[in-house]
Amino acid sequence: MGEGEGCLSTPQPPMSVVKSIELVLPKDAIYLAGSSIKGKMILTLNSTLVDPIVKVELVGRGYIEWSEEAGASRDYSRNVICNNKADYVHKTKTFPVEDNWLSAGSHTFDFHFNLPPRLPSTFSSKFGHVFYFVQASCMGREHILAKKRMYLLVQGTSAFHKETPLQNPLLVEAEEKVSYNCCRQGTICLQIQMEKNTFTPGEKVVFTTEINNQTSKCIKTVIFALYAHVRYEGFTPGAERRSRLDSSELLRQEANTHMTRFNTTKIVSTFSLPVLLSVSSSTRDGEIMHTRYELVITVHLPWSLTSLKAKVPIIITSASVDSAGCQSSEDGVLPVSPDHQN
């Protein structure tokens, strides 16, 4: 998110002592958990300001909410609201003001914050969100004179990959006996091969699909899709623990290849992962959501009543700032191209 994007400003009256308040941060940056956030606050005054409080805050929060029926043994006409929230970071930098006054004109204040080493990624869905922002403010003796907020993109980290054995290389197979032309039967075998199934955001996922068609029918369409399965953990007003699973399709490709009868066809596919992703996570107390990923390959059989599917677990991790190496441009800040800003 670049300078001037995603900023919320407090409207100023025409004769306010504060002319403007600005935040200057690297343009289109994704911050790694554990990295530093460096920027400037520029405060421009119309006149002298006495006893000001000038500060910048770094805030990270998460909130989820959904409604569901009260329960099988209760009144189905009544919905209950389930929600949960988390505070991930809140740091404040208050700038010293010499002689407790600022003259008319522009004043620049440099600041930096260190993000905690373990954070969830910036996230948004119909059930919740995780967001981070830097907020600058200037206060007089009794009230806020001006403030501005700029939202940040943060790539989170997790210890998931340290606890789960890596499955490299990976081979997944599926087989289906199908009926067609009334009394004829055949077998279709699906095999997916990957050199690894553990990736970082922005990395390319390469896999080979082998389809052994032992029928007298041709196969024309294969769908490759990457799904994110998010489990939300919330509580009812009565403090009962509830959870909800929501799945979404992140990436999709369709291969229209003529796969002849009694033959084997190989398809090599590549997915480019988004540069900002929630990392895979196992269930832990105190976390409001947990994410897992799955690559699903579907062979459509229009001449049969069935389709053949194979599912491959995908693990998303994120390197720490210390080990990010050439991924980092400076202090764990990753630039994001315009194609990946949303």
Side-chain angles (χ1 to χ4, degrees):
M1 191 170 296
E3 181 183 349
E5 295 182 35
C7 298
L8 301 178
S9 301
T10 301
Q12 300 302 312
M15 300 303 294
S16 171
V17 65
V18 177
K19 182 178 181 180
S20 65
I21 184 169
E22 300 294 334
L23 280 166
V24 181
L25 288 165
K27 186 177 181 180
D28 298 335
I30 295 177
Y31 294 89
L32 293 175
S35 67
S36 294
I37 297 172
K38 298 180 180 180
K40 297 178 184 293
M41 170 189 175
I42 302 175
L43 178 66
T44 304
L45 302 177
N46 286 315
S47 58
T48 299
L49 180 59
V50 179
D51 293 333
I53 299 176
V54 183
K55 65 181 181 179
V56 175
E57 298 170 271
L58 169 65
V59 179
R61 296 174 182 150
Y63 183 78
I64 58 174
E65 180 179 291
W66 72 90
S67 62
E68 60 181 44
E69 292 174 338
S73 60
R74 299 168 187 165
D75 182 5
Y76 274 94
S77 64
R78 182 173 64 88
N79 284 347
V80 61
I81 299 296
C82 305
N83 58 32
N84 204 351
K85 64 180 180 178
D87 292 318
Y88 300 115
V89 59
H90 193 168
K91 297 183 178 183
T92 303
K93 168 66 176 177
T94 302
F95 300 104
V97 177
E98 188 176 354
D99 297 328
N100 289 329
W101 67 277
L102 291 172
S103 62
S106 294
H107 304 268
T108 300
F109 304 89
D110 296 325
F111 64 88
H112 83 272
F113 294 107
N114 292 323
L115 286 167
R118 178 94 187 273
L119 287 173
S121 300
T122 300
F123 174 84
S124 181
S125 76
K126 60 184 177 181
F127 297 118
H129 51 263
V130 174
F131 60 95
Y132 300 87
F133 62 85
V134 171
Q135 180 169 280
S137 62
C138 177
M139 296 182 63
R141 288 189 175 93
E142 297 180 352
H143 58 278
I144 297 175
L145 298 174
K147 65 180 178 181
K148 175 162 282 192
R149 178 180 295 185
M150 181 176 286
Y151 286 91
L152 306 174
L153 298 177
V154 174
Q155 174 56 54
T157 57
S158 173
F160 182 91
H161 61 289
K162 297 179 181 178
E163 302 168 0
T164 303
L166 303 183
Q167 304 177 49
N168 304 323
L170 187 71
L171 176 66
V172 174
E173 295 180 308
E175 183 177 294
E176 185 80 28
K177 290 185 177 180
V178 295
S179 300
Y180 56 96
N181 292 349
C182 297
C183 58
R184 303 194 68 177
Q185 287 189 331
T187 302
I188 297 176
C189 299
L190 179 59
Q191 184 182 90
I192 296 91
Q193 301 177 60
M194 306 178 73
E195 289 299 317
K196 62 177 185 177
N197 75 324
T198 303
F199 302 92
T200 57
E203 194 174 356
K204 291 186 182 298
V205 179
V206 181
F207 56 97
T208 300
T209 304
E210 184 175 291
I211 301 168
N212 185 2
N213 178 18
Q214 294 302 311
T215 73
S216 61
K217 292 284 189 176
C218 294
I219 300 172
K220 295 182 179 180
T221 305
V222 183
I223 302 295
F224 311 100
L226 179 66
Y227 288 88
H229 306 292
V230 182
R231 180 173 294 279
Y232 300 92
E233 304 288 343
F235 296 90
T236 67
E240 297 178 34
R241 192 181 187 94
R242 299 288 176 88
S243 64
R244 181 180 188 124
L245 181 65
D246 181 57
S247 298
S248 60
E249 186 179 277
L250 297 182
L251 301 167
R252 182 183 179 90
Q253 289 181 3
E254 182 173 328
N256 294 307
T257 304
H258 190 71
M259 288 159 270
T260 57
R261 58 183 186 172
F262 301 108
N263 201 358
T264 299
T265 303
K266 281 190 177 182
I267 304 171
V268 178
S269 305
T270 302
F271 276 136
S272 292
L273 293 173
V275 294
L276 179 62
L277 276 176
S278 298
V279 295
S280 301
S281 57
S282 55
T283 302
R284 290 187 183 88
D285 289 338
E287 294 188 357
I288 65 175
M289 64 183 74
H290 317 279
T291 307
R292 65 181 179 89
Y293 297 89
E294 196 172 49
L295 178 63
V296 180
I297 294 88
T298 305
V299 179
H300 286 283
L301 310 172
W303 34 264
S304 173
L305 297 178
T306 128
S307 60
L308 177 58
K309 287 189 177 184
K311 299 180 179 181
V312 183
I314 300 294
I315 298 173
I316 302 298
T317 68
S318 181
S320 65
V321 172
D322 292 339
S323 61
C326 63
Q327 294 183 38
S328 298
S329 57
E330 183 179 356
D331 295 318
V333 180
L334 307 181
V336 54
S337 68
D339 294 339
H340 295 94
Q341 289 184 44
N342 296 319

Short mmCIF file of all heavy atoms in Angstrom, two decimals, residues 17-18 43 45 47-54 97-104 107 138-143 145:
data_model
loop_
_atom_site.label_atom_id
_atom_site.label_comp_id
_atom_site.label_asym_id
_atom_site.label_seq_id
_atom_site.Cartn_x
_atom_site.Cartn_y
_atom_site.Cartn_z
N VAL A 17 -4.97 25.07 13.74
CA VAL A 17 -3.54 25.29 13.88
C VAL A 17 -2.75 24.30 13.04
O VAL A 17 -1.64 24.58 12.58
CB VAL A 17 -3.12 25.23 15.37
CG1 VAL A 17 -3.35 23.83 15.93
CG2 VAL A 17 -1.66 25.63 15.55
N VAL A 18 -3.32 23.11 12.79
CA VAL A 18 -2.66 22.09 11.98
C VAL A 18 -3.12 22.23 10.53
O VAL A 18 -4.31 22.10 10.24
CB VAL A 18 -2.96 20.67 12.50
CG1 VAL A 18 -2.31 19.63 11.58
CG2 VAL A 18 -2.44 20.51 13.92
N LEU A 43 4.42 17.02 9.92
CA LEU A 43 3.37 17.84 10.53
C LEU A 43 3.58 19.29 10.09
O LEU A 43 4.64 19.87 10.32
CB LEU A 43 3.44 17.72 12.05
CG LEU A 43 2.45 18.56 12.86
CD1 LEU A 43 1.03 18.09 12.62
CD2 LEU A 43 2.80 18.48 14.35
N LEU A 45 2.13 23.17 10.37
CA LEU A 45 1.30 24.01 11.23
C LEU A 45 1.05 25.37 10.59
O LEU A 45 1.93 25.95 9.95
CB LEU A 45 1.99 24.21 12.59
CG LEU A 45 2.31 22.94 13.39
CD1 LEU A 45 3.05 23.31 14.67
CD2 LEU A 45 1.06 22.14 13.70
N SER A 47 0.16 27.92 12.60
CA SER A 47 0.62 28.86 13.62
C SER A 47 1.32 28.09 14.72
O SER A 47 1.38 26.86 14.71
CB SER A 47 -0.57 29.65 14.18
OG SER A 47 -1.54 28.76 14.73
N THR A 48 1.86 28.79 15.68
CA THR A 48 2.60 28.17 16.78
C THR A 48 1.66 27.29 17.62
O THR A 48 0.52 27.67 17.91
CB THR A 48 3.23 29.24 17.68
OG1 THR A 48 4.14 30.02 16.91
CG2 THR A 48 3.98 28.62 18.85
N LEU A 49 2.18 26.12 18.00
CA LEU A 49 1.41 25.18 18.81
C LEU A 49 2.15 24.95 20.12
O LEU A 49 3.32 24.55 20.14
CB LEU A 49 1.23 23.86 18.07
CG LEU A 49 0.45 22.75 18.79
CD1 LEU A 49 -0.96 23.22 19.13
CD2 LEU A 49 0.40 21.50 17.93
N VAL A 50 1.46 25.21 21.25
CA VAL A 50 2.06 25.09 22.57
C VAL A 50 1.61 23.79 23.23
O VAL A 50 0.45 23.39 23.12
CB VAL A 50 1.68 26.31 23.45
CG1 VAL A 50 2.29 26.17 24.84
CG2 VAL A 50 2.11 27.60 22.79
N ASP A 51 2.55 23.15 23.92
CA ASP A 51 2.30 21.89 24.65
C ASP A 51 1.67 20.81 23.77
O ASP A 51 0.64 20.21 24.13
CB ASP A 51 1.40 22.13 25.87
CG ASP A 51 2.06 22.99 26.93
OD1 ASP A 51 3.31 22.95 26.99
OD2 ASP A 51 1.35 23.66 27.69
N PRO A 52 2.25 20.53 22.62
CA PRO A 52 1.66 19.49 21.75
C PRO A 52 2.09 18.09 22.19
O PRO A 52 3.14 17.90 22.82
CB PRO A 52 2.25 19.82 20.38
CG PRO A 52 3.62 20.37 20.70
CD PRO A 52 3.46 21.14 21.99
N ILE A 53 1.28 17.13 21.86
CA ILE A 53 1.64 15.72 21.99
C ILE A 53 1.63 15.14 20.58
O ILE A 53 0.56 15.04 19.95
CB ILE A 53 0.67 14.95 22.90
CG1 ILE A 53 0.69 15.52 24.31
CG2 ILE A 53 1.04 13.46 22.92
CD1 ILE A 53 -0.32 14.88 25.25
N VAL A 54 2.79 14.79 20.09
CA VAL A 54 2.93 14.27 18.73
C VAL A 54 3.39 12.82 18.82
O VAL A 54 4.41 12.51 19.44
CB VAL A 54 3.96 15.09 17.92
CG1 VAL A 54 4.05 14.59 16.49
CG2 VAL A 54 3.59 16.58 17.95
N VAL A 97 9.35 17.18 22.25
CA VAL A 97 9.21 18.51 21.65
C VAL A 97 10.01 19.50 22.48
O VAL A 97 9.71 19.72 23.67
CB VAL A 97 7.73 18.94 21.56
CG1 VAL A 97 7.61 20.35 20.99
CG2 VAL A 97 6.95 17.95 20.71
N GLU A 98 11.02 20.07 21.88
CA GLU A 98 11.91 20.99 22.58
C GLU A 98 11.15 22.24 23.03
O GLU A 98 10.42 22.85 22.24
CB GLU A 98 13.08 21.38 21.68
CG GLU A 98 14.16 22.18 22.38
CD GLU A 98 15.35 22.47 21.49
OE1 GLU A 98 15.38 21.95 20.35
OE2 GLU A 98 16.25 23.21 21.93
N ASP A 99 11.33 22.56 24.30
CA ASP A 99 10.69 23.73 24.93
C ASP A 99 9.16 23.66 24.89
O ASP A 99 8.48 24.68 25.12
CB ASP A 99 11.15 25.04 24.26
CG ASP A 99 12.65 25.27 24.43
OD1 ASP A 99 13.20 24.85 25.47
OD2 ASP A 99 13.26 25.84 23.51
N ASN A 100 8.61 22.49 24.54
CA ASN A 100 7.16 22.26 24.57
C ASN A 100 6.38 23.18 23.63
O ASN A 100 5.24 23.55 23.91
CB ASN A 100 6.61 22.41 26.00
CG ASN A 100 7.04 21.27 26.88
OD1 ASN A 100 7.21 20.14 26.41
ND2 ASN A 100 7.23 21.56 28.17
N TRP A 101 6.96 23.57 22.50
CA TRP A 101 6.21 24.32 21.49
C TRP A 101 6.79 24.07 20.11
O TRP A 101 7.97 23.76 19.96
CB TRP A 101 6.17 25.81 21.81
CG TRP A 101 7.51 26.49 21.72
CD1 TRP A 101 8.46 26.54 22.67
CD2 TRP A 101 8.01 27.23 20.59
NE1 TRP A 101 9.55 27.25 22.23
CE2 TRP A 101 9.29 27.69 20.95
CE3 TRP A 101 7.49 27.54 19.33
CZ2 TRP A 101 10.07 28.45 20.08
CZ3 TRP A 101 8.27 28.30 18.47
CH2 TRP A 101 9.54 28.75 18.84
N LEU A 102 5.94 24.19 19.11
CA LEU A 102 6.33 24.02 17.72
C LEU A 102 5.94 25.27 16.95
O LEU A 102 4.82 25.78 17.09
CB LEU A 102 5.64 22.80 17.09
CG LEU A 102 6.07 21.42 17.60
CD1 LEU A 102 5.16 20.34 17.03
CD2 LEU A 102 7.52 21.13 17.24
N SER A 103 6.83 25.77 16.12
CA SER A 103 6.57 26.98 15.35
C SER A 103 5.73 26.66 14.11
O SER A 103 5.59 25.49 13.72
CB SER A 103 7.89 27.63 14.93
OG SER A 103 8.62 26.73 14.09
N ALA A 104 5.22 27.68 13.48
CA ALA A 104 4.50 27.50 12.22
C ALA A 104 5.45 26.96 11.16
O ALA A 104 6.64 27.24 11.16
CB ALA A 104 3.90 28.82 11.77
N HIS A 107 7.32 20.23 10.16
CA HIS A 107 8.20 19.53 11.10
C HIS A 107 8.20 18.04 10.74
O HIS A 107 7.12 17.45 10.56
CB HIS A 107 7.72 19.72 12.53
CG HIS A 107 7.60 21.15 12.94
ND1 HIS A 107 8.61 21.86 13.55
CD2 HIS A 107 6.55 22.03 12.80
CE1 HIS A 107 8.22 23.09 13.78
NE2 HIS A 107 6.96 23.22 13.34
N CYS A 138 -1.65 14.36 16.33
CA CYS A 138 -1.16 15.55 17.02
C CYS A 138 -2.27 16.04 17.94
O CYS A 138 -3.39 16.30 17.48
CB CYS A 138 -0.77 16.63 16.01
SG CYS A 138 -0.24 18.19 16.76
N MET A 139 -1.94 16.17 19.22
CA MET A 139 -2.92 16.59 20.22
C MET A 139 -2.52 17.93 20.83
O MET A 139 -1.35 18.22 21.03
CB MET A 139 -3.05 15.54 21.33
CG MET A 139 -3.57 14.20 20.88
SD MET A 139 -3.73 13.05 22.25
CE MET A 139 -4.96 13.89 23.25
N GLY A 140 -3.55 18.73 21.12
CA GLY A 140 -3.34 19.96 21.87
C GLY A 140 -3.46 19.66 23.35
O GLY A 140 -3.25 18.52 23.80
N ARG A 141 -3.86 20.65 24.11
CA ARG A 141 -3.95 20.44 25.56
C ARG A 141 -5.05 19.46 25.94
O ARG A 141 -4.93 18.71 26.90
CB ARG A 141 -4.19 21.79 26.25
CG ARG A 141 -2.98 22.71 26.25
CD ARG A 141 -3.23 23.92 27.14
NE ARG A 141 -2.04 24.78 27.25
CZ ARG A 141 -1.80 25.82 26.48
NH1 ARG A 141 -2.67 26.12 25.51
NH2 ARG A 141 -0.73 26.55 26.65
N GLU A 142 -6.15 19.46 25.17
CA GLU A 142 -7.30 18.66 25.61
C GLU A 142 -7.90 17.78 24.52
O GLU A 142 -8.71 16.92 24.82
CB GLU A 142 -8.40 19.57 26.16
CG GLU A 142 -7.99 20.34 27.40
CD GLU A 142 -9.11 21.24 27.90
OE1 GLU A 142 -10.13 21.35 27.19
OE2 GLU A 142 -8.96 21.81 28.99
N HIS A 143 -7.52 17.98 23.26
CA HIS A 143 -8.21 17.23 22.22
C HIS A 143 -7.27 16.97 21.04
O HIS A 143 -6.21 17.60 20.91
CB HIS A 143 -9.47 17.96 21.74
CG HIS A 143 -9.20 19.33 21.22
ND1 HIS A 143 -9.06 20.42 22.05
CD2 HIS A 143 -9.03 19.80 19.95
CE1 HIS A 143 -8.83 21.50 21.32
NE2 HIS A 143 -8.79 21.15 20.04
N LEU A 145 -5.97 17.30 17.44
CA LEU A 145 -6.03 18.34 16.41
C LEU A 145 -6.03 17.74 15.01
O LEU A 145 -6.63 18.29 14.09
CB LEU A 145 -4.85 19.29 16.57
CG LEU A 145 -4.78 20.05 17.89
CD1 LEU A 145 -3.48 20.84 17.97
CD2 LEU A 145 -5.98 20.99 18.04
#
